Amino acid sequence: LSLVPVPAHVETSPGELPITSSFSVAIDGYQEPRLDRAVERLERQIARQTGLPMRIGRGDTATATLIIRCDHASKPVQDVDEDESYDLEVRPDKASLTAPNPLGALHGLATFSQLISVTPGGFAAPAVRIHDAPRFPWRGLMIDVARHFMPVDVLKRNLDGMAAVKLNVFHWHLSDYQGFRMESKKFPKLQEMGSDSNYYTQEGAKDLIAYARDRGIMVVPEFDVPGHATSWFVGYPQLASAPGPYRIERRWGIFDPALDPTRKSTYSFLDGLVGEMSKLFPAPYFHMGGDEVNGKQWDSNREIQSFMQAHAIKDNHALQAYFVAHMEEIVSKHHKILIGWDEVLSPSLPASVIVQSWRGQSALADAANLGHRGLLSYGYYLDLMHHADEHYSVDPMSEATASLSPEKKKLILGGEACMWTEYVTAENLDSRLWPRTAVIAERLWSSQDVRDIDSMYRRIGRINWELELLGLTHRTSMDAMLRRIAGQDDVNSLWVLAQTVEPVREYDREVLATQRDALNSGAALNRLVDAIPPESKSSREFAHLVERYIASDFRDATTEKYIRAQVTTWAENDARLQPVLAGSFVLKEDAILSTNLASIANIALEALNYAHSNQIPAADWVAEATRTLEDAKKPQDDLVLVVAQPVEVLVQAVSKAKP
Ligand code: ACM
């Protein structure tokens, strides 16, 4: 089976349920319109998965292929303490899905659609009994819409992706230095002056919230205070700790402006805004951010300093704690539970506050030790361009949390994948999210001992195209971008290069930026680095071939043939690609990568020849090859030629081989 996430219990049996155009779904037991819409979505999805014409709409219980039975309604406002379990039984004649409430049914439908595949005899779902429930109740995805605005339809298709892998919380990072993205009717200068007209209307937000609820997803808004709030101060400079005027921040980084936590007027403004937003967002949680306050505006404000003296607030950390305590009062008054990034943690933090750890796993343990519920995001930052297996290895229950008592362990609610969008636009958001988000979704849903990396990569290979059928553009947008960059329809040679490189990791794009342009929100994100996936499948597969070849003491002739074919393609690509690169101002800078690919491919060919003929290369050949490879590994145009690493492994192995 190729399910993502892996269910809690699976029992397969012989036989399969054919999926044909007469497929239909009936709903028995508890009924609600959301279930009808879910049935229609399943039918449309099966039509896309199979190409078969499907009748859309609810079928008859006597004849239906799949019968759904829910016991009772879920909460009118979704929360994370609900039973999300389901039982799915597929037999050769029928399938049945039972769940205590619609949330479980929605998850069961996602599983059912993943079971369908092409077989020699037609489309079918294998006979199976699944009992499933999540390991963690909070399985989220955060998207930053402040750095780059993401239109509602872009978010909606990604909610579809979330539902497909059973994520249940969409954390909407709505404000930051670079933009305030939600319409406020009470304080309209927030969006009017702080968003460059890129904001969500309240109607748009309601539509998105309803769309999410239909898919079993709760929407949690984040309005980041007291730092990360420059966009608020454009319209409301009196909120800041230093006199204005302010402008929307165009750069990336951490900046000084912060709310003045000592003035009553700050809190009456926040009370008004939290009140308004609490009515708009039904979820019981409200995220206040709270991260990365550098304190500089507080230090240089004489009134703030004397306030601190008068109230025995000894430093900025204590001032931040004072602010967070006030925020907690406001948020509670509006019947919400406060969430903050891990900087909100202090011994005086009210117990109800949920702490989201981003700076390390130990923050999660610290929070739990102080009695707070916690979410892990450290290790789940998708903007850092880590590989799927790296995210997969990060578990909310780590060494850091191992020593917690069983009671305190229960405080760890789960985690969230985070997508910060300095270098992400509506065009490439999907390719930065998928399929890696699916891997984090599995970590949060499946049992802790589901950790086989080969199985994970095999299964995300399937979810990858299934997501495409759901309307996600993680692959199609790459194609379109490459054609645009190349200015021609035939991008085969560009693909060959594109598959051997990866974007630089961590925050290196900032570190490497030589053009001022690259560090601000007006910069075009239209280069090769923006088009390619974060992880090179070709490189991973090539590295496996090299490992296998070395492990065979260079005797595995088939593997040698594959390696030779691959590196020959790379060696010969440069001549075809250079004219394409020369013809495009965004590709010119990649000429050196293509030359380097050819050089390292030629080194690999020579290494293969040595291995094939049982020869050890001379020391100066090895030294020269190593120099070339080290050089080829250096970032170029925010890209790294990642296949240089396995070639280096091959060269090292050949140079040490026993003849
Ligand atoms: C964060 O990354 N500043 C939460």
Side-chain angles (χ1 to χ4, degrees):
L1 299 185
S2 193
L3 302 173
V4 181
V6 168
H9 301 280
V10 180
E11 229 180 282
T12 53
S13 56
E16 56 194 28
L17 173 70
I19 304 294
T20 66
S21 306
S22 59
F23 176 83
S24 71
V25 187
I27 304 171
D28 209 3
Y30 171 76
Q31 318 264 331
E32 66 176 35
R34 176 164 66 154
L35 284 171
D36 285 300
R37 291 192 291 269
V39 165
E40 290 179 14
R41 276 202 310 281
L42 175 75
E43 289 162 341
R44 291 208 166 83
Q45 173 64 1
I46 293 176
R48 285 189 293 261
Q49 274 177 269
T50 60
L52 296 169
M54 286 281 147
R55 250 174 300 137
I56 306 299
R58 196 207 287 208
D60 186 272
T61 32
T63 57
T65 330
L66 169 65
I67 296 182
I68 303 173
R69 272 186 213 89
C70 284
D71 215 44
H72 54 77
S74 59
K75 287 188 171 177
V77 172
Q78 188 173 328
D79 202 345
V80 294
D81 59 357
E82 296 184 78
D83 189 341
E84 294 179 88
S85 69
Y86 68 91
D87 284 276
L88 176 63
E89 183 179 10
V90 180
R91 297 185 318 199
D93 60 332
K94 246 182 189 337
S96 73
L97 168 61
T98 55
N101 67 57
L103 293 179
L106 290 168
H107 295 317
L109 291 174
T111 302
F112 185 79
S113 105
Q114 286 189 17
L115 284 170
I116 298 168
S117 59
V118 70
T119 77
F123 290 98
V128 69
R129 289 166 77 110
I130 292 173
H131 170 71
D132 203 5
R135 178 174 165 223
F136 290 106
W138 191 299
R139 306 174 308 279
L141 170 63
M142 186 218 75
I143 300 178
D144 165 15
V145 297
R147 299 316 188 310
H148 279 102
F149 182 68
M150 303 294 166
V152 168
D153 61 323
V154 173
L155 296 179
K156 280 184 173 174
R157 67 176 186 241
N158 283 293
L159 288 169
D160 284 321
M162 289 176 67
V165 294
K166 304 180 173 62
L167 289 172
N168 66 345
V169 181
F170 172 49
H171 168 173
W172 203 356
H173 183 83
L174 281 163
S175 70
D176 217 299
Y177 307 115
Q178 295 86 356
F180 189 97
R181 304 286 180 213
M182 180 54 64
E183 175 190 22
S184 168
K185 297 191 201 279
K186 208 166 189 134
F187 304 111
K189 285 190 280 183
L190 285 169
Q191 76 275 6
E192 284 168 7
M193 298 177 74
S195 77
D196 301 304
S197 303
N198 283 322
Y199 65 89
Y200 306 96
T201 62
Q202 295 202 356
E203 283 314 302
K206 282 181 195 159
D207 178 39
L208 189 86
I209 292 162
Y211 191 92
R213 175 167 173 83
D214 254 12
R215 287 153 182 78
I217 297 168
M218 168 174 83
V219 180
V220 175
E222 177 186 351
F223 294 94
D224 202 345
V225 285
H228 283 274
T230 310
S231 60
W232 306 39
F233 305 151
V234 186
Y236 300 94
Q238 66 275 22
L239 294 171
S241 303
Y246 287 88
R247 277 177 298 176
I248 294 175
E249 183 56 64
R250 304 290 168 197
R251 296 163 297 169
W252 308 138
I254 298 172
F255 303 100
D256 302 345
L259 273 83
D260 185 337
T262 67
R263 281 203 297 255
K264 285 209 166 61
S265 53
T266 301
Y267 298 108
S268 55
F269 185 97
L270 288 167
D271 183 41
L273 185 69
V274 172
E276 183 184 13
M277 294 305 154
S278 293
K279 287 197 189 75
L280 180 61
F281 289 91
Y285 306 93
F286 192 101
H287 204 307
M288 62 154 282
D291 54 321
E292 297 181 314
V293 185
N294 72 15
K296 287 189 189 162
Q297 277 200 344
W298 295 347
D299 292 338
S300 49
N301 178 321
R302 227 178 267 152
E303 282 157 34
I304 292 177
Q305 291 307 310
S306 47
F307 180 95
M308 288 169 73
Q309 262 170 10
H311 292 77
I313 296 171
K314 67 175 195 311
D315 56 16
N316 287 340
H317 192 68
L319 186 56
Q320 153 109 348
Y322 172 88
F323 176 79
V324 175
H326 277 69
M327 271 310 278
E328 196 278 332
E329 265 176 44
I330 291 170
V331 165
S332 307
K333 180 182 145 196
H334 295 289
H335 314 290
K336 305 287 182 184
I337 294 165
L338 187 68
I339 311 178
W341 296 106
D342 57 47
E343 287 95 329
V344 303
L345 191 60
S346 73
S348 64
L349 184 67
S352 66
V353 179
I354 298 175
V355 175
Q356 183 164 11
S357 138
W358 72 279
R359 292 179 300 175
Q361 273 189 319
S362 57
L364 204 57
D366 295 345
N369 264 321
L370 288 167
H372 297 284
R373 290 180 290 172
L375 304 169
L376 182 67
S377 281
Y378 175 79
Y380 299 147
Y381 267 33
L382 295 162
D383 54 310
L384 301 185
M385 299 290 174
H386 291 178
H387 291 175
D389 58 341
E390 295 169 78
H391 293 304
Y392 200 51
S393 72
V394 177
D395 195 291
M397 295 303 175
S398 64
E399 271 167 49
T401 47
S403 60
L404 294 172
S405 67
E407 256 342 275
K408 296 225 152 122
K409 277 186 179 150
K410 284 200 202 115
L411 295 170
I412 294 170
L413 296 179
E416 287 187 357
C418 290
M419 180 49 82
W420 302 101
T421 57
E422 280 89 344
Y423 300 105
V424 183
T425 65
E427 185 178 38
N428 69 1
L429 175 68
D430 298 25
S431 78
R432 271 73 194 110
L433 287 176
W434 307 102
R436 293 179 305 152
T437 298
V439 166
I440 298 170
E442 174 157 298
R443 176 55 53 237
L444 297 172
W445 177 284
S446 304
S447 152
Q448 189 168 13
D449 57 19
V450 174
R451 9 185 16 102
D452 186 287
I453 288 171
D454 292 337
S455 161
M456 176 273 283
Y457 275 117
R458 181 181 61 75
R459 289 178 295 105
I460 63 169
R462 152 136 192 169
I463 195 84
N464 220 16
W465 58 257
E466 204 172 64
L467 289 168
E468 204 161 24
L469 295 170
L470 267 177
L472 284 123
T473 64
H474 53 305
R475 296 213 288 205
T476 49
S477 76
M478 283 191 255
D479 266 338
M481 286 174 89
L482 288 183
R483 288 185 221 290
R484 183 180 67 205
I485 292 169
Q488 58 186 63
D489 197 47
D490 176 359
V491 287
N492 288 332
S493 58
L494 186 54
W495 258 121
V496 171
L497 176 67
Q499 288 175 318
T500 64
V501 292
E502 285 178 0
V504 291
R505 295 160 59 101
E506 308 290 331
Y507 297 103
D508 282 2
R509 208 157 159 179
E510 258 106 349
V511 176
L512 291 167
T514 46
Q515 314 143 281
R516 254 183 51 71
D517 222 26
L519 290 173
N520 85 52
S521 59
L525 298 178
N526 62 353
R527 297 185 300 145
L528 190 55
V529 63
D530 302 303
I532 61 163
E535 178 167 6
S536 161
K537 184 163 174 262
S538 301
S539 175
R540 188 175 67 250
E541 288 170 355
F542 181 70
H544 280 162
L545 288 176
V546 167
E547 271 169 40
R548 197 189 312 156
Y549 184 50
I550 295 170
S552 79
D553 281 331
F554 311 115
R555 280 193 271 265
D556 180 343
T558 310
T559 301
E560 184 189 317
K561 205 168 70 187
Y562 286 144
I563 296 175
R564 197 176 286 280
Q566 177 66 86
V567 295
T568 303
T569 303
W570 291 342
E572 291 172 355
N573 194 59
D574 189 47
R576 278 187 298 144
L577 180 56
Q578 286 296 350
V580 179
L581 301 180
S584 164
F585 76 102
V586 281
L587 283 175
K588 271 193 306 208
E589 51 200 3
D590 300 315
I592 187 161
L593 282 167
S594 179
T595 310
N596 287 349
L597 178 61
S599 308
I600 67 159
N602 283 317
I603 290 172
L605 281 170
E606 289 171 39
L608 283 182
N609 291 341
Y610 283 119
H612 188 83
S613 55
N614 274 333
Q615 277 185 296
I616 291 197
D620 54 352
W621 180 88
V622 176
E624 177 62 29
T626 306
R627 255 196 310 279
T628 305
L629 285 160
E630 285 303 317
D631 223 41
K633 282 182 1 193
K634 291 191 188 125
Q636 175 69 37
D637 192 23
D638 293 337
L639 291 164
V640 178
L641 186 61
V642 284
V643 294
Q645 179 62 32
V647 171
E648 192 162 27
V649 169
L650 179 66
V651 165
Q652 293 303 319
V654 169
S655 71
K656 290 190 191 88
K658 292 185 220 65

